[in-house]
Amino acid sequence: MAKDGLNEFKLVGTRPDRPDGLDKVTGRARYGADFSLPGMLWGAVVRSPHAHAKIVKIDATKALAMEGVKAVVTRADFPEGLSGEDWDLQENTIAGEKALYDGHAVAAVAATSKLIAEDAARLIEVEYEVLPHVIDVDDAMAEGAPVIREGAADPTVPEGLHPNVVKYMEFGHGDVEKGFAEADIVREKSYKTEATHQGYIEPHACVGQMGRDDKGEMWVCTQGQWFIRKMCTAVLGVEASQLRVTPSEIGGGFGGKTTIFMEPLSLALSRKAGGRPVKIVMSRSEVLRATGPTASASMDVKIGMKKDGTITGARAEFRMQGGAFPGAPVDMALYCAFAGYKLENVQHIGYDVLANRPKCAAYRAPGSPMGAFAVESLVDEMAAELELDPIAVRQKNAVRSGDKASYGPKFGSIGLVEVLDALKDHPNLQAELGENQGRGFAVGYWFNHNGETSVSMAIGEDGTAQVSIGTPDIGGSRASVSLMVAETLGIPYEDVRVNVVETGALGVNEPTHGSRATFATGKAAVEATGHAIKEMCRRAAAEWGIDEDAVEWVDGAAQPAGPNAGKFPPMTIKEIAGNMGSTGGPISGHHESVPDGVGASFGAHAVDLEVDPETGRVTILRYLVVQDAGRAIHPSYVEGQYQGGAAQGIGWALNEEYVYDDKGRLANPIFLDYRVPVASDLPMIDTVIVEVPNPGHPFGVRGVGETGITPPLPAIANAIADAVGVRMTHLPISPPKLLAALKSR
Amino acid sequence: MAQVTVHLWSGLRRLTDGAETVEVEASTVGEALDALATAHPGVKPVLDAGVSVVIDGEMTTSRHQQITPDNEIYLMQRLKGG
């Protein structure tokens, strides 16, 4: 039973089976590629083999002559005149004048079978004029770098910077030079991280159908059906209301399925093929070449520290490329970088830079892992130099509720101190370490998010509840929403069914991003349930002939609120529901808002690892995640988020990276070469759920999905430094890199 | 309406005649944003592209939220997540 000192719950905090579990383990659940329709065509996409090239000519004559080919689309089939983010989406969906990265779509074909479509795609002849390209973020900012798009910079960019710099930001407070002057030691270091992919198991898949009247439907794996609708219709130049989008089950997203890639192509092909539905399923190679990886980063950090560990001044200058379009999460990286520290003097500078790579998409706490790597590495190194306990240094400088954040506003309720206390007390920290073994720590942060949210719920004739939500279930949200609704209604968990619905069934919902589903959808579901409860109390009051204010809801039943209200036995939800046809009709509730009260989440990780000095291979021995959930509605899924974030962060730290050849072509577009951690790479990941309830949520929820990926990057670098005395400043710390560093000691 | 202080990220300084905080007459978030755009037209494209407004440490998206001179008001880059 979960407690926060104020409330005790019967269901919230328990661990029932997830409602969608059986479907998912038996193959009954329908994912993106499982959906088919009568008369359906298959789509295939022609992609640029060049990192940067002018498209001189596209000739589809041979493809169109193939039996079974029904349509070919190029950029000429899309409207002109889009601007801003809509133009970026359209340009990324299908290239216009230039191909901007290896894998950029330049044409698409629909045919009666997948094989015919793929064969036809090979027959589409594209003539390119290859242009100079640039891959590295620092290279892209340098004088003489190929210009990817003239005039892409927004008004914040100072004059004199390379045209590839498209956004500039600067913020901070205090006097950072004064802060450095007050320090006993000041250290400055540069760090780099490489782009990584979200690595979801399920590739992108959709079936799109659109007639010549521009009315259409889409079935798609996505984190946000309303965003898909808005983006696809913008790219196609049709009214959003004319497209109905139904989400499938989703085999992972992590931010990478909050945007569009080939979905508008299926609609455009369908429209051109006379309205026949068109299915497109990406290959893994296409996913890696052409869907959102995260940004790569180049970062300079400078910190001043007193002998007792007090940080007196801090400065970060981050440069990030997010592909050939604006949108690298450098702003978020800067906001999160020093978020764990109470700083009187701090300065942040950031550059969003274009490069000839695929357009980045959100990835779990976008930007925060890179910033954490740079800052937490330097804090750790300085603590070691001063012979201070690394956890104590973090405790000494830790932000508390009401403190001014490094990025300006003051914090509400936060639980970093409680997280650090729990970390320090964990048994993992007592384990003895052997030769070439080391222990590392780091903290991480994410804001969490609210977003547009709409939920409706209906009481069934049998007293059960049907809840319609607009956020796809990527982390157990059906279970957590069911628990919150059941707790509020006072009925069994099994009597609540949560359905993820299509865009025609609810008001707008933002995607499942920003760790918002359990917070925002849950809060809206509780509000909607409250409306239904009020109506059930009103029905009971009418039946008893008393004032509705004299009725309260307790344990799944209406009852008189006190002895003066009258003596009536409780009227259960089943009784009220069973009679609803004769007492006024269906009983339901709904709620639409951008829920306020978001609560930020801090986490701290501890890792023990061993370095093989002969190969540079790192073996994770123990891993501990401690994080403030606010309230763990379903602790198993909170632990799953903690473990999943850590696993992805471990991959980012040790192996994952986009490798480009000298022509700017992705050299590792399959999972054999793009190496995500597998089960045998990881130990059991221990978790501690800290619960400092968020006062902005009826059950105290903060949101837990993202913070967990931030600390692994620096925690592992710190542990390697502890193990072998080598400070690695460029991720991933793959065996060849670490071996080279060991040999050059 | 009363005079409220809006904290900007300092990268906007070149669009606000060097100011990192701007005083505007407003009683709601929407009025503050509109007044900011009127006083400094260069900021309007940035506001139109989307910003997050943080009132006393809590992000709001409502233009109708009431504000007073006692509130701490920050503009931040638009927040979302993965």
Side-chain angles (χ1 to χ4, degrees):
Chain A
M1 185 179 291
K3 298 177 184 177
D4 62 10
L6 296 174
N7 298 300
E8 291 189 355
F9 305 115
K10 290 180 176 172
L11 296 174
V12 164
T14 63
R15 303 171 186 254
D17 290 342
R18 61 189 298 162
D20 47 341
L22 187 63
D23 284 355
K24 286 179 173 172
V25 299
T26 58
R28 194 165 58 192
R30 281 187 295 184
Y31 290 84
D34 293 330
F35 199 82
S36 297
L37 283 174
M40 190 181 78
L41 303 174
W42 285 82
V45 181
V46 181
R47 299 185 180 279
S48 168
H50 306 295
H52 198 194
K54 186 177 176 186
I55 299 169
V56 178
K57 185 181 172 187
I58 301 176
D59 185 348
T61 309
K62 291 179 184 169
L64 286 166
M66 279 184 71
E67 189 176 343
V69 172
K70 300 298 180 186
V72 170
V73 295
T74 66
R75 182 62 172 273
D77 295 285
F78 290 77
E80 296 179 348
L82 274 61
S83 60
E85 288 185 16
D86 289 344
W87 185 88
D88 292 344
L89 288 168
Q90 187 185 59
E91 179 76 5
N92 193 41
T93 297
I94 189 157
E97 294 177 3
K98 293 197 299 183
L100 299 173
Y101 56 89
D102 168 40
H104 196 170
V106 297
V109 57
T112 50
S113 77
K114 194 166 189 282
L115 273 179
I116 293 173
E118 288 171 350
D119 285 347
R122 290 188 197 97
L123 290 179
I124 294 177
E125 295 170 354
V126 185
E127 187 181 332
Y128 296 98
E129 178 187 324
V130 177
L131 302 170
H133 70 275
V134 63
I135 294 292
D136 178 78
V137 62
D138 291 321
D139 292 346
M141 291 177 70
E143 191 177 344
V147 176
I148 293 166
R149 185 183 163 206
E150 285 283 4
D154 80 5
T156 60
V157 179
E159 289 180 12
L161 293 175
H162 192 283
N164 290 339
V165 180
V166 292
K167 190 172 186 178
Y168 171 82
M169 65 220 63
E170 183 185 346
F171 57 91
H173 54 256
D175 181 342
V176 73
E177 294 305 327
K178 175 174 162 286
F180 292 143
E182 291 170 353
D184 291 314
I185 63 169
V186 177
R187 297 292 179 264
E188 185 171 14
K189 213 145 196 177
S190 299
Y191 302 86
K192 277 198 152 185
T193 62
E194 293 301 327
T196 56
H197 196 273
Q198 295 84 350
Y200 31 78
I201 298 302
E202 181 195 21
H204 297 262
C206 71
V207 179
Q209 179 275 321
M210 179 164 277
R212 294 192 192 278
D213 59 357
D214 285 342
K215 291 184 179 176
E217 277 200 68
M218 173 166 281
W219 298 264
V220 59
C221 67
T222 177
Q223 288 176 247
Q225 53 270 44
W226 278 267
F227 266 32
I228 289 281
R229 183 178 75 165
K230 182 180 175 185
M231 293 174 175
C232 283
T233 53
V235 166
L236 291 161
V238 303
E239 292 292 329
S241 59
Q242 299 304 302
L243 181 65
R244 183 173 163 216
V245 180
T246 303
S248 67
E249 294 298 335
I250 177 170
F254 314 112
K257 290 177 182 167
T258 58
T259 187
I260 54 169
F261 298 102
M262 79 305 176
E263 292 84 356
L265 297 177
S266 73
L267 293 167
L269 286 166
S270 172
R271 184 165 60 179
K272 206 164 182 182
R276 290 176 70 172
V278 176
K279 181 171 183 170
I280 301 180
V281 180
M282 280 186 158
S283 67
R284 181 60 59 185
S285 169
E286 287 181 293
V287 169
L288 285 167
R289 286 174 71 203
T291 70
T294 188
S296 63
S298 172
M299 302 170 285
D300 304 326
V301 179
K302 185 174 181 180
I303 292 175
M305 191 180 279
K306 286 188 172 179
K307 284 179 183 170
D308 67 356
T310 304
I311 298 175
T312 57
R315 183 179 187 277
E317 181 173 320
F318 291 177
R319 302 162 293 275
M320 287 190 184
Q321 70 72 32
F325 301 89
V330 62
D331 40 10
M332 301 299 125
L334 288 166
Y335 287 149
C336 296
F338 292 116
Y341 299 107
K342 185 177 180 181
L343 299 172
E344 291 184 8
N345 307 295
V346 61
Q347 183 186 24
H348 311 75
I349 294 172
Y351 303 86
D352 179 0
V353 186
L354 304 186
N356 291 116
R357 294 176 178 234
K359 183 180 189 302
C360 81
Y363 181 16
R364 237 176 174 150
S368 188
M370 301 86 132
F373 171 60
V375 168
E376 290 294 282
S377 290
L378 189 55
V379 167
D380 205 76
E381 190 170 357
M382 292 174 76
E385 184 178 340
L386 292 169
E387 297 181 343
L388 298 170
D389 174 64
I391 301 176
V393 168
R394 289 170 174 99
Q395 287 176 310
K396 187 174 201 62
N397 294 283
V399 284
R400 292 166 164 77
S401 303
D403 282 347
K404 185 179 179 66
S406 56
Y407 50 83
K410 60 190 172 195
F411 278 112
S413 166
I414 50 172
L416 176 57
V417 171
E418 290 82 351
V419 163
L420 289 168
D421 288 347
L423 179 89
K424 197 167 186 176
D425 291 342
H426 195 275
N428 275 22
L429 275 63
Q430 308 308 317
E432 289 193 8
L433 296 172
E435 193 178 358
N436 296 315
Q437 295 182 353
R439 179 167 295 151
F441 309 97
V443 299
Y445 172 72
W446 186 247
F447 306 90
N448 296 322
H449 183 56
N450 46 11
E452 290 172 87
T453 308
S454 173
V455 168
S456 80
M457 65 91 65
I459 304 297
E461 310 91 306
D462 54 356
T464 60
Q466 295 281 328
V467 185
S468 297
I469 65 172
T471 39
D473 186 347
I474 56 173
S477 52
R478 283 188 182 94
S480 60
V481 171
S482 294
L483 282 166
M484 286 185 273
V485 169
E487 182 82 48
T488 305
L489 279 173
I491 63 176
Y493 167 79
E494 294 76 11
D495 283 359
V496 179
R497 178 167 179 152
V498 173
N499 304 298
V500 180
V501 300
E502 46 94 1
T503 52
L506 282 178
V508 171
N509 279 268
E510 280 192 25
T512 305
H513 66 166
S515 293
R516 75 178 211 89
T518 304
F519 170 79
T521 304
K523 188 170 182 177
V526 171
E527 293 281 348
T529 303
H531 293 170
I533 287 173
K534 191 174 180 186
E535 177 62 16
M536 289 190 285
C537 287
R538 196 184 69 75
R539 302 278 175 106
E543 199 69 15
W544 291 329
I546 63 175
D547 194 287
E548 64 186 89
D549 291 338
V551 177
E552 62 182 358
W553 191 261
V554 179
D555 290 338
Q559 65 179 33
N564 295 332
K567 287 190 176 178
F568 302 100
M571 190 179 292
T572 67
I573 188 171
K574 288 187 186 299
E575 291 174 292
I576 297 169
N579 292 325
M580 64 186 176
S582 57
T583 61
I587 297 171
S588 63
H590 62 94
H591 183 77
E592 297 80 21
S593 71
V594 178
D596 55 11
V598 176
S601 179
F602 280 99
H605 292 198
V607 57
D608 290 355
L609 54 76
E610 180 172 340
V611 176
D612 181 344
E614 293 186 359
T615 64
R617 177 185 162 83
V618 172
T619 302
I620 306 292
L621 304 172
R622 276 168 223 95
Y623 202 99
L624 169 65
V625 180
V626 184
Q627 188 179 317
D628 178 15
R631 160 80 64 235
I633 301 297
H634 191 304
S636 296
Y637 301 136
V638 172
E639 290 162 357
Q641 291 294 323
Y642 289 2
Q643 291 165 329
Q648 288 184 311
I650 290 167
W652 199 337
L654 292 178
N655 284 300
E656 295 180 46
E657 67 177 314
Y658 271 46
V659 178
Y660 285 93
D661 66 17
D662 58 1
K663 291 182 177 172
R665 292 173 179 163
L666 186 62
N668 57 340
I670 54 172
F671 270 164
L672 285 172
D673 297 323
Y674 180 91
R675 181 80 163 73
V676 298
V678 296
S680 56
D681 292 322
L682 299 170
M684 181 62 198
I685 295 172
D686 296 304
T687 58
V688 175
I689 302 173
V690 171
E691 291 187 312
V692 178
N694 170 21
H697 188 277
F699 290 109
V701 168
R702 294 185 181 278
V704 297
E706 309 194 51
T707 301
I709 199 173
T710 57
L713 288 67
I716 286 170
N718 294 341
I720 290 171
D722 185 53
V724 292
V726 170
R727 174 59 60 176
M728 300 299 286
T729 58
H730 188 165
L731 299 183
I733 308 172
S734 54
K737 269 196 217 166
L738 183 51
L739 189 60
L742 290 168
K743 285 184 174 174
S744 65
R745 277 187 295 188
Chain B
M1 285 197 290
Q3 197 164 56
V4 299
T5 303
V6 181
H7 296 256
L8 313 176
W9 67 87
S10 55
L12 299 179
R13 197 181 304 155
R14 71 180 53 81
L15 309 173
T16 56
D17 305 323
E20 283 183 45
T21 60
V22 177
E23 308 278 331
V24 293
E25 292 278 334
S27 57
T28 66
V29 167
E31 288 171 358
L33 294 176
D34 292 345
L36 177 61
T38 301
H40 300 286
V43 176
K44 190 167 187 312
V46 179
L47 299 179
D48 290 345
V51 293
S52 294
V53 183
V54 183
I55 312 292
D56 294 339
E58 186 170 319
M59 188 170 62
T60 182
T61 54
S62 173
R63 283 176 54 84
H64 302 145
Q65 178 161 335
Q66 298 287 318
I67 50 175
T68 73
D70 293 335
N71 290 125
E72 178 197 69
I73 305 165
Y74 268 85
L75 287 195
M76 292 174 63
Q77 312 271 349
R78 186 170 44 177
L79 300 174
K80 38 189 181 180

